Amino acid sequence: MSQVTLDTTLPPNSISVTCTAPVNIAVIKYWGKRDTKLILPINSSLSGTIDQGSMRSKTTIIASKDFEKDEMTLNGKIENITSSKRLNAVLELIRSRAEDLVDAEGKVLIKKEDWPAYKIRVVSENNFPTAAGLASSASGFACFTSCLATLFSFKEKFDGELSSIARQGSGSACRSLYGGWVKWVMGEHKDGSDSYAVQVADEKHWPEMRVLILVAHGGQKEVPSTSGMETSVLTSPLLAYRAKEIVEPRMKAMEEAILKTDFASFAEITMKASNQFHATCLDTYPPPFYLNQTPQRIIPILHALHDLAAKQGLPP
């Protein structure tokens, strides 16, 4: 659930928007695209949104007539925003739909016809390891998209349209626009207009739920998710079977478990989905490995604790 503030106190010809957006953790993961340009997945997915007090991305965008070009800094490092297809895709989709920017009192700050004279500077940071498997691109692009939408006064033509734009930056970003439990509907249309995020239950639905995140390795993944899933699509028969036969029934079971706050079913489905995802990676040639020795050792301990709790009649 993104949070946005608008700063109107800058010098003339400048305006600033700051946004934060959360990380989401997939319990049924999307893996593989049927369209790499529009980032359309081969299966639907479902995630839980992490409270922003723990993990979040923060982005500030300043628009000014005094800037000569669009610029971006990510975690203190200058990024070439003009050479990034995904950043530009999101920027141009929203910039092309810019409207009058109006403040809380109804005063027009920037007229629609004046926007072409403005360039932007983006400053973004994460308060957690980037590219280490914690969905930094999801929260980052959700943040970027929300900021742009506020800056350019973007208006949705249909519910979920903004999430479909965030999706074109990073697939999972569509889910980070909402709190609680969120599913990304894969859709069927070739233009991606029906591939967007939907909130299954809000952040107040399951207050007892807690997520413990243990960072076993804070460095970047050896194989980025984008290239890993591209290889899986090309080489893994298990991936195709998973998308066709397994994911949709599992999505329905997971939604039911969440709505009923049935943790035993939720935990079992989550672990089975995780195991199958890693099996799909192992079925890929050459295989990308996203499970190092530390979580491999932790998983049996979790199962042992679960079995012990069951024997003692404790809640799972």
Side-chain angles (χ1 to χ4, degrees):
M1 183 170 54
S2 58
Q3 299 174 355
V4 183
T5 57
L6 177 66
D7 184 357
T8 61
T9 63
L10 294 179
N13 300 325
S14 299
I15 202 81
S16 171
V17 174
T18 297
C19 173
T20 63
V23 169
N24 72 77
I25 302 296
V27 291
I28 296 182
K29 191 173 180 63
Y30 114 83
W31 194 250
K33 306 179 184 75
R34 65 181 190 273
D35 186 312
T36 56
K37 181 180 180 181
L38 295 177
I39 309 188
L40 298 177
I42 64 172
N43 66 269
S44 298
S45 56
L46 199 151
S47 64
T49 305
I50 304 302
D51 187 278
Q52 293 196 56
S54 301
M55 300 172 68
R56 57 104 182 105
S57 293
K58 182 179 181 180
T59 298
T60 296
I61 300 179
I62 303 173
S64 176
K65 287 184 177 180
D66 297 332
F67 297 157
E68 296 181 358
K69 61 180 181 179
D70 297 327
E71 297 179 342
M72 181 175 188
T73 301
L74 174 61
N75 292 326
K77 180 182 177 181
I78 297 175
E79 300 285 334
N80 190 339
I81 192 172
T82 58
S83 66
S84 171
K85 293 181 179 179
R86 293 186 177 186
L87 288 169
N88 271 312
V90 174
L91 175 57
E92 294 309 315
L93 281 167
I94 296 181
R95 185 178 251 162
S96 65
R97 297 256 300 274
E99 299 289 343
D100 290 348
L101 179 61
V102 181
D103 66 14
E105 285 72 41
K107 178 184 176 182
V108 177
L109 302 174
I110 300 176
K111 294 182 180 179
K112 174 182 178 179
E113 58 268 24
D114 292 337
W115 275 119
Y118 285 78
K119 298 297 182 182
I120 65 170
R121 285 184 181 172
V122 183
V123 179
S124 186
E125 62 179 11
N126 303 318
N127 67 350
F128 58 94
T130 300
L134 294 172
S136 59
S137 63
S139 58
F141 268 101
C143 215
F144 182 61
T145 304
S146 294
C147 265
L148 290 173
T150 299
L151 181 67
F152 293 114
S153 298
F154 174 85
K155 302 294 189 297
E156 287 190 325
K157 293 181 179 178
F158 59 88
D159 290 342
E161 184 182 15
L162 190 63
S163 74
S164 74
I165 292 176
R167 182 204 75 226
Q168 295 178 60
S170 171
S172 302
C174 67
R175 299 191 308 250
S176 275
L177 289 177
Y178 301 92
W181 303 93
V182 187
K183 66 178 176 181
W184 172 13
V185 182
M186 63 176 287
E188 298 178 354
H189 299 165
K190 289 185 177 181
D191 64 358
S193 58
D194 60 345
S195 182
Y196 50 80
V198 177
Q199 191 179 55
V200 173
D202 67 23
E203 58 273 18
K204 298 178 183 178
H205 170 69
W206 202 344
E208 299 84 8
M209 176 64 77
R210 296 291 184 271
V211 178
L212 177 63
I213 298 175
L214 304 176
V215 181
H217 177 62
Q220 294 191 1
K221 293 173 286 189
E222 292 184 6
V223 180
S225 296
T226 298
S227 57
M229 66 176 68
E230 285 177 356
T231 306
S232 291
V233 169
L234 292 174
T235 65
S236 172
L238 179 57
L239 178 69
Y241 178 79
R242 171 184 182 266
K244 183 179 179 180
E245 303 292 342
I246 303 298
V247 173
E248 284 306 318
R250 199 163 265 170
M251 285 282 292
K252 292 179 181 178
M254 179 61 83
E255 283 191 54
E256 183 177 351
I258 290 169
L259 293 175
K260 291 182 177 180
T261 62
D262 177 359
F263 185 78
S265 297
F266 169 86
E268 181 176 336
I269 296 167
T270 299
M271 289 302 297
K272 286 182 176 179
S274 174
N275 292 342
Q276 189 174 68
F277 161 69
H278 290 293
T280 297
C281 291
L282 193 60
D283 189 50
T284 299
Y285 188 82
F289 294 103
Y290 299 113
L291 202 63
N292 63 32
Q293 291 183 352
T294 301
Q296 286 177 2
R297 292 168 179 166
I298 291 173
I299 288 172
I301 296 174
L302 294 178
H303 281 286
L305 289 173
H306 181 273
D307 293 343
L308 180 62
K311 289 178 181 179
Q312 295 181 354
L314 300 174

